[in-house]
Amino acid sequence: MTVLRDARERRVRTGGIELCVAELGDPSAPTVVLIHGYPDSKEVWSEVAPRLAERFHVVLYDVRGHGRSTAPRPLRGGFTLEKLTDDFLAVIDAVSPDRPVHLVGHDWGSVQAWEFVTVRRTEGRVASFTSMSGPSLDHLGLWIDKRLRRPTPRRVAQLVGQGAKSWYVYALHTPRLPELAWRGPLGTHWPRLLERAEKIPRGTYPTASLPRDAAHGAWLYRDNIRPRLRRPRRDAYAHAPVQLITPLDDAFLSETLYDDLDRWVPQLTRRTLPAKHWIPRTRPDRLAAWITEFVTSVEGGRPDASPATGKYADRFGGQLVLVTGAGSGIGRATAFAFAEAGARVVAVDRDAEAAARTAELSRLLGAPRSWAETVDVSDEQAMEKLAAKVAAEYGVVDVLVNNAGIGLGGSFFDTTPEDWKKVLDVNLWGVIHGCRLFGRQMTERGQGGHIVNTASAAAYQPSKALSAYGTSKAAVLMLSECLRAELAGQGIGVSAICPGFVNTNITSTARFAGVDAEEEKRRQKRTARLYGLRNYPPEKVADAILRAVVRNEAVVPVTPEARGARLLSRLAPGALRAIARLEPPL
Amino acid sequence: MATAVNSELSVELSGFRRVQQLAYACAEAVAARLEPGVTEREAARMQRVWLRERGVKDWFHLPFAWFGDRTAFVNFRVPLQFFPTDRRLEPGMPFILDMAPVYEGFTADIGYSGSLGINPVQDRLMADLEAHRELILREVRERRPLREIYEDVDRLMVRQGYANRHRAYPFGVIAHKVDRVRERRWSPHLFGFGTQSLKGLAADALHGHREGWSPLWSRYRFSDHPPRPGLWAVEPHLGFRGTGAKFEEILVVTDSRDPEQSAFWLDDDLPHVRRWAEEK
């Protein structure tokens, strides 16, 4: 009946109860113990465990009273953290008596694991701990204490915010009612609630034991919350490295709970994820990758492994980012910014040498891996080949940056059909191919992602000299907006970036319609000089792109002139039309 | 006659070579003494003391020291930010020492990049500076306008993936002329620059303004002229996301018709040049 395929099951007796323990993978490999939360059973890990089992000895067990483990009699007083620690020690004595284990906990599993990693009697038995959505009750008690003692406005707001998110905790403290609800209507409707509110894909989870698990589990709260919050331990220091994974849209726990964590954890790695509470169900690939990386680096003796120093390293560490037009300008700067944040980078450009250079420097900056691909984004078949290759060799892209673009200036009547075709092929079709191919991979995986399209301030600022370019970029802007609406329900964000005048080599490669080669050269030089004097660096656009992904922004004008034009386009579109008539100073 | 001129030139050059060697020796000595916790001010003072002990009395400019992301002039807006601060050196941090002592009337202006421990990014930047040294010499020998050479250096930096950081210097110079300086008993300095040297530079600027050249080599129109004979302190400065690297040394430009003699680096026995040779 278990949804964990090929799991070896055994029963471990301890303190008058029997725990159901499942094992996957090679027992000689490092042991990773997964602990489930409330109201769950070990099956909550059914997506993550097989992914980890390729590299590790994975152990899962049903917490007492849950799943196929038996419940203590009486229930009251049977779920204290001390007893849960006994259970944990009994399990690891059975599955890994000689080697310390790597702990992974979600929700109440994480609350328990904090206890395991901070009490003396488990010292030396825990090698590392990955925590998701479950704070230490001792840390939480002190967190509340600190805010009550010195209630600054910010602290009060944090307290009220978390207090509101904890409504279910109060509810669970009422006698009998929660049990009745779980064994009755709540138990029946729970799977549908999860699907609707938490976007959990339907399947074999939750299991049939849910009403009983949830009813028993109420005692986790009743036995521990009040005593621990009233008298938190003041020496709850972690004796192993900790990786903290925080889902940013968690309905039950706020991010600020972990603000003081560095005090308790000497070796802390922070990760954030734009997802809701049940990440073991909704983001198994990402979790498996982060757990694998963390466990591997701890095993290798490097507890704070990530060399990435970038501002958003917590968010992009280990993610796969593909940037087109990465051989120069904004694309290259963006690849570097992601590399600095610890992402794996695929640098795509039609100039092989430039792409290779970007990939090489990305590694120097902190990208754990990086690759160069030589592709012309306007070439449909080449893009299809690229998408297939990336999926097969590097994985599904987490962040796609459709940045490749070319410039074209001149009168509408001087712009030949060939000119039009060229601009639209690269600027619009390149983006369409990127979104189509890599966007589909993202939706098929169903674990979120982000698409960034580089539009332009010319997308909303008309100009008599930029009809073709502006048209292509306006199309990119609208495509991004439509796609954003379509993908919103699947956790995939879409952002359009409108840089403005940025000092890149687009000026020296731009075409000018209706002039001879010599005049074109002169204009290129002149524009390059003007852009050079303006000197807005592409690095700042790259920063804006990372910020847009982190905040999931829809349209991002970057330079002051781009922002000003955006504002005018809403307040005084007539002004933009007047600007459009000006002759560019070339 | 020609030999007399040559020998006079070579005597003069050996004076410049001596002070450039002295300055690089100072950079290496100070760099070896840098350790975690040393501040930029202390590093600048160490350079000053080291050179004064060895007979330096005047400066083209007082020694600078930049640590960490200040090597790439991150967020520099006003020239005062060039002056040494209380930023402390940490393991792995890049640093740049920049000094311009005057010794026996000869001026040097050098820049020395290094890091405390290993810094792969800066190593890479230093390695990539070699191409700039070659490019500058080649194009000066071709008598290309300085402004165009500046733009070619810019393009090479962009191709390499780096940002041009010498544009942050006063007037955005990649190089400036240096000359002999009369030794005075009292030589005050103004904003870190020796007044004697400033005087020389101002005289050159006036001269050049009349004749259509400039002692400053920059991206602007005033540099739109072929290389002017004399000694140029050339300082291409690369920046790459919070890490910077530069070298600075003297390029001799003459009016000789022989390309080899028309421009050459004053001295090839310098730390960065030796390093490139070793890596090959």
Side-chain angles (χ1 to χ4, degrees):
Chain A
M1 106 113 209
T2 179
V3 291
L4 292 160
R5 225 168 293 141
D6 306 328
R8 309 179 289 277
E9 282 200 0
R10 63 163 108 178
R11 319 270 306 165
V12 173
R13 305 184 132 277
T14 166
I17 55 154
E18 238 182 37
L19 298 172
C20 173
V21 182
E23 289 173 76
L24 288 94
D26 175 10
S28 63
T31 303
V32 178
V33 180
L34 308 175
I35 308 178
H36 69 81
Y38 174 88
D40 282 323
S41 58
K42 64 181 181 307
E43 280 70 27
V44 73
W45 298 112
S46 63
E47 292 294 324
V48 177
R51 287 169 166 84
L52 291 175
E54 290 163 18
R55 307 270 304 266
F56 305 113
H57 174 216
V58 179
V59 176
L60 317 89
Y61 66 94
D62 286 319
V63 174
R64 49 169 60 201
H66 295 68
R68 297 200 289 138
S69 294
T70 59
R73 291 271 155 238
L75 289 169
R76 179 190 297 273
F79 286 86
T80 58
L81 285 170
E82 289 73 21
K83 289 190 175 158
L84 295 170
T85 311
D86 294 339
D87 291 355
F88 167 66
L89 285 170
V91 170
I92 60 170
D93 279 342
V95 297
S96 176
D98 319 315
R99 269 172 87 177
V101 300
H102 299 270
L103 265 172
V104 177
H106 173 248
D107 188 88
W108 255 94
S110 168
V111 177
Q112 293 182 46
W114 272 113
E115 176 82 1
F116 308 159
V117 82
T118 55
V119 291
R120 293 280 143 254
R121 58 183 173 135
T122 54
E123 219 163 321
R125 306 296 306 269
V126 180
S128 81
F129 169 35
T130 298
S131 163
M132 312 165 203
S133 301
S136 153
L137 291 183
D138 302 303
H139 299 166
L140 178 62
L142 294 170
W143 184 88
I144 295 171
D145 202 49
K146 185 173 164 189
R147 275 150 189 79
L148 285 177
R149 271 174 210 277
R150 286 256 183 110
T152 62
R154 174 191 298 240
R155 287 176 172 179
V156 171
Q158 290 176 350
L159 213 48
V160 171
Q162 182 55 49
K165 285 184 168 183
S166 300
W167 57 270
Y168 64 98
V169 178
Y170 322 134
L172 283 166
H173 277 81
T174 50
R176 298 227 178 86
L177 273 178
E179 281 90 336
L180 279 175
W182 278 115
R183 293 192 195 274
L186 188 55
T188 331
H189 294 297
W190 186 248
R192 202 153 0 114
L193 270 174
L194 278 187
E195 193 185 341
R196 203 172 301 161
E198 291 285 330
K199 304 266 186 277
I200 293 181
R202 210 166 247 233
T204 48
Y205 169 88
T207 53
S209 64
L210 170 79
R212 185 177 151 271
D213 300 343
H216 285 157
W219 288 100
L220 287 169
Y221 292 84
R222 295 168 186 163
D223 276 350
N224 295 301
I225 297 274
R226 273 185 296 176
R228 282 301 172 111
L229 294 194
R230 208 175 295 147
R231 271 185 300 280
R233 290 188 295 135
R234 291 186 177 271
D235 60 345
Y237 296 100
H239 47 65
V242 176
Q243 168 172 245
L244 176 76
I245 302 178
T246 315
L248 298 173
D249 305 321
D250 197 318
F252 310 106
L253 297 153
S254 56
E255 286 170 73
T256 57
L257 285 180
Y258 308 108
D259 283 355
D260 309 328
L261 205 55
D262 303 77
R263 221 183 110 198
W264 307 106
V265 185
Q267 296 160 319
L268 178 66
T269 307
R270 287 177 190 265
R271 305 278 188 204
T272 59
L273 198 61
K276 299 192 171 205
H277 182 76
W278 264 276
I279 43 178
R281 303 305 307 175
T282 56
R283 299 286 185 271
D285 281 342
R286 185 76 268 137
L287 293 191
W290 275 341
I291 294 167
T292 303
E293 189 193 333
F294 187 60
V295 170
T296 311
S297 68
V298 170
E299 286 284 319
R302 293 167 291 117
D304 33 8
S306 174
T309 52
K311 192 171 162 202
Y312 299 113
D314 60 330
R315 171 68 194 276
F316 296 117
Q319 300 220 338
L320 184 63
V321 177
L322 185 139
V323 184
T324 68
S328 61
I330 295 173
R332 184 177 253 179
T334 306
F336 289 159
F338 276 113
E340 225 171 32
R344 296 175 298 143
V345 174
V346 186
V348 180
D349 202 283
R350 59 179 174 179
D351 178 346
E353 204 181 310
R357 176 95 193 165
T358 304
E360 190 191 339
L361 291 180
S362 293
R363 267 194 303 278
L364 268 184
L365 282 173
R369 318 264 322 257
S370 66
W371 305 271
E373 297 290 345
T374 316
V375 172
D376 181 346
V377 293
S378 63
D379 182 342
E380 183 181 338
Q381 277 165 5
M383 284 294 277
E384 268 166 16
K385 248 198 208 117
L386 173 73
K389 181 181 177 190
V390 169
E393 290 178 19
Y394 320 139
V396 176
V397 171
D398 294 296
V399 180
L400 167 68
V401 185
N402 286 310
N403 164 78
I406 53 172
L408 174 67
S411 151
F412 171 74
F413 296 104
D414 292 333
T415 310
T416 62
E418 283 72 46
D419 288 335
W420 271 98
K421 202 168 146 5
K422 213 165 169 192
V423 167
L424 292 178
D425 273 353
V426 177
N427 290 8
L428 179 57
W429 276 101
V431 176
I432 295 176
H433 292 317
C435 293
R436 200 168 55 86
L437 299 162
F438 293 101
R440 179 175 298 280
Q441 292 177 6
M442 283 182 199
T443 54
E444 276 169 2
R445 179 179 63 164
Q447 297 184 36
H450 204 102
I451 298 175
V452 178
N453 295 329
T454 307
S456 164
Y460 46 79
Q461 163 69 68
S463 162
K464 66 193 259 186
L466 286 175
S467 49
Y469 181 78
T471 304
S472 70
K473 289 301 189 181
V476 170
L477 182 60
M478 186 46 86
L479 168 66
S480 311
E481 293 265 35
C482 294
L483 200 58
R484 182 180 174 87
E486 182 169 345
L487 295 177
Q490 301 172 54
I492 300 172
V494 181
S495 304
I497 309 294
C498 306
F501 299 113
V502 178
N503 190 11
T504 70
N505 65 347
I506 195 170
T507 49
S508 28
T509 55
R511 292 256 301 102
F512 289 87
V515 295
D516 58 23
E518 198 180 318
E519 173 63 11
E520 183 167 53
K521 196 115 212 116
R522 194 193 66 77
R523 289 195 182 184
Q524 285 175 349
K525 226 169 158 178
R526 172 90 182 131
T527 349
R529 269 195 190 142
L530 285 175
Y531 275 56
L533 283 177
R534 169 72 185 84
N535 197 28
Y536 195 91
E539 287 76 20
K540 283 196 181 177
V541 184
D543 290 345
I545 289 177
L546 266 70
R547 200 164 48 237
V549 177
V550 167
R551 299 186 188 161
N552 191 17
E553 293 169 322
V555 180
V556 185
V558 183
T559 58
E561 61 271 14
R563 277 186 276 166
R566 175 92 179 145
L567 192 69
L568 279 182
S569 72
R570 295 179 190 173
L571 300 180
L576 287 193
R577 287 182 199 121
I579 295 171
R581 294 180 183 195
L582 299 175
E583 191 67 47
L586 293 177
Chain B
M1 179 68 198
T3 40
V5 169
N6 272 344
S7 72
E8 198 178 305
L9 182 70
S10 68
V11 167
E12 183 149 291
L13 290 186
S14 72
F16 281 106
R17 211 169 281 141
R18 245 191 343 267
V19 58
Q20 183 163 287
Q21 280 296 345
L22 182 73
Y24 267 107
C26 168
E28 287 190 309
V30 170
R33 282 167 54 203
L34 293 179
E35 51 188 52
V38 171
T39 66
E40 289 180 356
R41 280 173 206 270
E42 286 163 0
R45 191 176 316 123
M46 280 151 77
Q47 300 172 51
R48 230 160 44 222
V49 170
W50 196 96
L51 288 168
R52 285 222 173 99
E53 278 172 359
R54 284 156 184 81
V56 169
K57 294 193 197 86
D58 194 6
W59 309 88
F60 179 82
H61 65 70
L62 289 174
F64 290 105
W66 303 300
F67 294 170
D69 66 0
R70 280 172 51 81
T71 56
F73 304 149
V74 172
N75 294 329
F76 274 35
R77 306 213 185 281
V78 290
L80 285 177
Q81 286 173 296
F82 286 105
F83 288 106
T85 65
D86 285 326
R87 158 93 46 114
R88 288 182 187 281
L89 197 60
E90 291 164 20
M93 242 190 199
F95 63 78
I96 294 178
L97 307 176
D98 188 308
M99 69 196 92
V102 176
Y103 181 62
E104 291 172 349
F106 298 98
T107 312
D109 193 347
I110 66 130
Y112 180 90
S113 309
S115 58
L116 191 62
I118 300 165
N119 187 318
V121 174
Q122 203 196 31
D123 283 352
R124 188 61 210 248
L125 287 168
M126 278 312 288
D128 287 332
L129 269 171
E130 186 180 8
H132 291 277
R133 195 173 185 263
E134 285 164 4
L135 173 88
I136 291 167
L137 181 61
R138 189 174 62 243
E139 300 205 343
V140 167
R141 282 178 175 168
E142 288 166 8
R143 290 289 183 249
R144 299 270 308 279
L146 295 182
R147 189 188 195 187
E148 283 181 18
I149 303 178
Y150 186 103
E151 283 170 352
D152 283 345
V153 170
D154 236 24
R155 269 191 279 276
L156 176 57
M157 285 184 178
V158 168
R159 218 169 36 246
Q160 289 175 331
Y162 304 138
N164 162 355
R165 292 318 295 151
H166 46 261
R167 71 174 291 159
Y169 291 127
F171 305 100
V173 294
I174 188 174
H176 56 83
K177 277 196 76 176
V178 291
D179 220 329
R180 296 193 62 159
V181 170
R182 179 109 40 99
E183 281 191 290
R184 294 281 170 92
R185 218 175 311 152
W186 187 62
S187 52
H189 24 82
L190 199 64
F191 294 113
F193 285 83
T195 42
Q196 294 300 321
S197 305
L198 281 182
K199 223 167 80 186
L201 212 52
D204 263 355
L206 190 68
H207 248 91
H209 183 68
R210 288 188 192 137
E211 294 164 15
W213 59 274
S214 164
L216 302 176
W217 174 352
S218 184
R219 66 184 313 123
Y220 304 108
R221 202 166 302 149
F222 60 67
S223 289
D224 216 349
H225 60 82
R228 170 92 193 164
L231 274 66
W232 291 83
V234 182
E235 46 181 338
H237 193 144
L238 304 181
F240 185 46
R241 304 197 72 85
T243 304
K246 73 179 281 190
F247 68 79
E248 182 168 13
E249 54 174 304
I250 286 175
L251 177 71
V252 184
V253 180
T254 68
D255 45 15
S256 162
R257 291 207 181 161
D258 175 10
E260 295 276 311
Q261 285 303 309
S262 70
F264 51 89
W265 295 104
L266 175 65
D267 194 348
D268 277 326
D269 189 21
L270 298 179
H272 49 276
V273 186
R274 285 198 298 266
R275 215 186 98 169
W276 295 329
E278 276 165 25
E279 276 164 10
K280 270 173 197 156

